[in-house]
Amino acid sequence: SQKIEQNSEALNIQEGKTATLTCNYTNYSPAYLQWYRQDPGRGPVFLLLIRENEKEKRKERLKVTFDTTLKQSLFHITASQPADSATYLCALEGSSNTGKLIFGQGTTLQVKP
Amino acid sequence: NAGVTQTPKFQVLKTGQSMTLQCAQDMNHEYMSWYRQDPGMGLRLIHYSVGAGITDQGEVPNGYNVSRSTTEDFPLRLLSAAPSQTSVYFCASSGTTSGIYEQYFGPGTRLTVT
């Protein structure tokens, strides 16, 4: 069956360091992968999308990689700040041209000053 | 633009009661979805719609009905509430601008079934 896995353990890092979050999937061949941020008590907010033919995507301090051979995406936040503390969700296209996404369970990041 | 709106924000139901969670979007998006979020489970897709008059089931559809009579609205109906439906419910919409299915989420409805 199709499965998306993110590290369920919280990631604690020091301010200024690079945070790296992992998203692994099985039995999928998604055309794209997305990353979202979710703060407590709020809905997720879109951050980045990377397509299957792209190896890397950047947006300000964020960087996403997508390895379709390893079936893995890495999400990096450089020069992390306490304001980056949140839960980060990866999502894969559930089926073509439907806008249907399947989400991982999310990884909570805590950046300490 | 208000984006995606959901009502109510909070609701307490007794087992067996029915209710409708409202969702509306003003971005003229074709696609709308309902998710539930439980601790440690992430977001699970309940139902989704690719346009007015078209709906389909997601991962966890049992106990829920949807309809899409207009582009703007996508209500979720709980037919006979059960404690297992205690959760936070999110509605989302997306369009195809630049071919990107970025989803916009509402603020959520926190439902407790006793």
Side-chain angles (χ1 to χ4, degrees):
Chain A
S1 63
Q2 297 173 325
K3 201 171 179 182
I4 304 171
E5 287 187 342
Q6 295 184 254
N7 193 343
S8 57
E9 290 185 14
L11 178 63
N12 295 299
I13 65 167
Q14 207 66 36
E15 182 176 8
K17 300 292 186 184
T18 296
T20 298
L21 285 67
T22 304
C23 176
N24 295 300
Y25 59 94
T26 56
N27 297 323
Y28 270 114
S29 294
Y32 58 83
L33 182 149
Q34 301 184 13
W35 284 89
Y36 288 77
R37 169 183 172 141
Q38 186 175 24
D39 292 289
R42 294 181 173 270
V45 175
F46 173 80
L47 295 175
L48 279 170
L49 176 147
I50 186 164
R51 300 186 189 279
E52 60 179 340
N53 61 350
E54 297 174 316
K55 295 291 186 190
E56 182 179 297
K57 201 80 166 284
R58 291 176 186 261
K59 179 182 176 183
E60 298 173 352
R61 294 184 296 109
L62 308 181
K63 184 178 86 170
V64 172
T65 63
F66 193 12
D67 189 326
T68 55
T69 301
L70 290 179
K71 296 187 182 295
Q72 181 182 78
S73 175
L74 298 178
F75 177 80
H76 307 272
I77 305 175
T78 58
S80 59
Q81 305 165 359
D84 295 325
S85 299
T87 296
Y88 292 87
L89 304 161
C90 71
L92 298 177
E93 171 195 28
S95 58
S96 297
N97 298 322
T98 63
K100 175 184 172 185
L101 292 181
I102 305 298
F103 283 81
Q105 75 270 38
T107 298
T108 298
L109 172 67
Q110 188 71 35
V111 181
K112 298 181 180 179
Chain B
N1 285 353
V4 179
T5 57
Q6 290 183 241
T7 56
K9 288 190 189 305
F10 301 94
Q11 183 70 49
V12 178
L13 290 178
K14 293 187 188 304
T15 296
Q17 287 184 319
S18 63
M19 79 159 295
T20 299
L21 279 60
Q22 301 292 343
C23 174
Q25 53 94 5
D26 61 0
M27 297 172 281
N28 202 32
H29 284 165
E30 309 99 290
Y31 307 110
M32 296 187 75
S33 305
W34 274 103
Y35 296 87
R36 61 177 288 174
Q37 188 171 40
D38 303 293
M41 301 288 288
L43 286 160
R44 290 185 291 170
L45 184 65
I46 305 172
H47 286 285
Y48 67 101
S49 169
V50 300
I54 307 169
T55 64
D56 204 348
Q57 297 181 351
E59 302 170 76
V60 289
N62 292 342
Y64 308 94
N65 272 0
V66 291
S67 59
R68 183 102 179 266
S69 56
T70 67
T71 300
E72 294 78 20
D73 300 298
F74 191 43
L76 178 73
R77 296 183 189 84
L78 278 70
L79 308 172
S80 177
S84 61
Q85 293 179 305
T86 293
S87 188
V88 181
Y89 292 84
F90 289 101
C91 178
S93 73
S94 62
T96 54
T97 303
S98 303
I100 293 176
Y101 297 101
E102 166 189 345
Q103 295 217 355
Y104 294 81
F105 283 82
T109 294
R110 187 174 295 273
L111 175 68
T112 302
V113 183
T114 61

